[in-house]
Amino acid sequence: MKILAIETSCDDTCAAVVEGSEIRSNVISSQDEAHAKFGGIVPEIASRHHLELTVPVVELALDEAGVSIGEIDSVAVTAGPGLIGALLVGLSTAKAIAAPRRLPLVPVDHLQGHVAANFLAPEPLEPPFLCLVASGGHTMLAAVRDHAGHEVLGQTLDDAAGEAFDKVARLLGLGFPGGPALQRLAEDGDPEAFELPVAMARDPGLDFSFSGLKTALAYLCRDLGPEGVKERRADLAASFQAAAVGQLTAKLKRALKRGGWSAVALGGGVAANGPLREAVTTLCEEQGVRLKLVPLELCTDNAAMIGSAARFATPMPYPDYLSYDAFPSSRAPAAVR
Ligand code: KG4
Ligand code: ZN
């Protein structure tokens, strides 16, 4: 089965060809530059770029895979959650490719895509496992008991982890997206320079919160003044990163302590964060559980993960999907399948 997958839920235009657990191609066209001058993603600009880029990105994905469109068995596409205009470009393109060829269409949940990045070669991870997904739009701990879906055990009550990285990076005068730049700046700073709250530490549940941490940083910056912030930028970045990583690992540890898990996986853009990867590695060693860390290009948004999820989802036959609509918010807060 050769699956052509398309992902346009946010600001990256992505297409991939997946065959079994093997990635035949995985093309990502980043729009970072187009949004950088605005300090964040502008939804309408994202949609317009997707409109221009989707077809060439799909052609490149087929080309790199050495596969013609006639050899494709089904078309997978992110149907939500995400920016509605951006999602609609991907979904319409997928329908336009699938319908004339009478191919089945597989609508995929974006978060299940991040989970399914772990099912890809080499060394696909078999369920059951505990998955921490932290991205620019979502933060959740999920129980993955089979390939077809996941159960949300906890999620952010306000900002996503990546959103907090991006907003704090902006406060520190870094570009967009802020996560990677903040990590680089933090390398020169002292993570203990400022005492910041590790939110939800005493909360017995598995939910997250990042807006208090972001606000604490904003107050610190206000008190330090522009000159003070300039002098202490690296310390501020390192202290913020330590608190954010501390919260993510504390909740993962709590979920592990509830027992029954022998493997852990990470997903989403923040899973590319070096100190988070190190902290989770140490935690898993301590707890004696296996850790799967997908390569960085499979942490951030990509279409190979959508193709991977599609392998285990129910395809919609032609013409049933012609009236199928994208969904901007999570459809099923408790369980996704
Ligand atoms: O999964 P993703 O590519 O897109 C969404 O689904 O949101 O995640 C993007 C997010 C951004 O907020 C970005 O700043 C963050 O992931 N990110 C990082 C790192 N690399 C990307 N955050 C912290 N450290 C990183 N190295
Ligand atoms: Zn994502």
Side-chain angles (χ1 to χ4, degrees):
M1 278 285 285
K2 292 185 184 66
I3 302 176
L4 170 67
I6 299 171
E7 149 65 45
T8 62
S9 67
C10 196
D11 65 334
D12 292 316
T13 316
C14 316
V17 176
V18 169
E19 186 171 11
S21 66
E22 193 200 337
I23 304 173
R24 296 284 303 263
S25 64
N26 192 18
V27 178
I28 302 166
S29 173
S30 164
Q31 301 181 8
D32 284 351
E33 254 174 59
H35 300 277
K37 59 176 175 284
F38 302 102
I41 296 163
V42 183
E44 190 52 29
I45 292 179
S47 311
R48 283 164 195 262
H49 275 79
H50 285 313
L51 214 46
E52 283 175 17
L53 290 166
T54 312
V55 171
V57 165
V58 164
E59 281 171 347
L60 193 58
L62 290 168
D63 226 46
E64 286 188 4
V67 167
S68 73
I69 189 72
E71 293 173 83
I72 293 294
D73 298 295
S74 67
V75 182
V77 62
T78 307
L83 303 171
I84 189 66
L87 288 165
L88 285 172
V89 177
L91 183 60
S92 310
T93 309
K95 286 180 186 178
I97 294 171
R101 298 171 176 87
R102 305 296 188 255
L103 292 174
L105 186 96
V106 195
V108 172
D109 177 278
H110 181 78
L111 291 167
Q112 179 60 17
H114 278 300
V115 168
N118 294 289
F119 305 148
L120 288 162
E123 295 177 47
L125 182 64
E126 294 299 316
F129 59 86
L130 192 59
C131 191
L132 171 66
V133 177
S135 72
H138 306 91
T139 304
M140 68 163 187
L141 257 173
V144 184
R145 297 196 178 88
D146 57 47
H147 288 97
H150 62 263
E151 182 195 347
V152 180
L153 301 175
Q155 59 193 321
T156 184
L157 302 175
D158 39 57
D159 290 358
E163 189 181 351
F165 269 91
D166 292 338
K167 286 178 176 167
V168 169
R170 199 169 176 194
L171 280 173
L172 301 180
L174 301 168
F176 175 83
L182 193 142
Q183 183 188 326
R184 278 193 299 276
L185 178 62
E187 280 164 20
D188 301 324
D190 173 7
E192 289 173 11
F194 297 98
E195 206 178 316
L196 289 165
V198 173
M200 312 292 282
R202 277 187 289 276
D203 173 82
L206 296 174
D207 286 331
F208 303 87
S209 166
F210 289 96
S211 82
L213 177 57
K214 175 195 68 188
T215 308
L217 238 293
Y219 283 141
L220 259 180
C221 291
R222 185 197 60 186
D223 296 346
L224 285 166
E227 280 309 308
V229 171
K230 221 167 154 185
E231 256 170 52
R232 308 291 306 274
R233 274 168 94 221
D235 285 342
L236 287 163
S239 302
F240 163 78
Q241 182 173 250
V245 167
Q247 185 186 160
L248 291 166
T249 14
K251 291 292 165 159
L252 186 56
K253 184 173 182 176
R254 182 163 299 162
L256 280 173
K257 286 226 156 123
R258 290 188 181 179
W261 299 105
S262 57
V264 163
L266 297 186
V270 182
N273 183 265
L276 176 65
R277 290 166 90 90
E278 283 161 29
V280 173
T281 304
T282 308
L283 173 66
C284 289
E285 276 166 12
E286 278 167 14
Q287 303 288 318
V289 296
R290 180 178 168 205
L291 172 63
K292 161 96 178 165
L293 288 173
V294 292
L296 301 193
E297 66 274 16
L298 293 179
C299 290
T300 44
D301 286 349
N302 65 89
M305 69 183 197
I306 301 304
S308 177
R311 285 178 65 208
F312 306 100
T314 314
M316 293 179 86
Y318 174 86
D320 295 8
Y321 51 78
L322 290 177
S323 56
Y324 185 86
D325 216 353
F327 53 97
S329 340
S330 291
R331 255 200 177 155
V336 172
R337 27 188 79 246

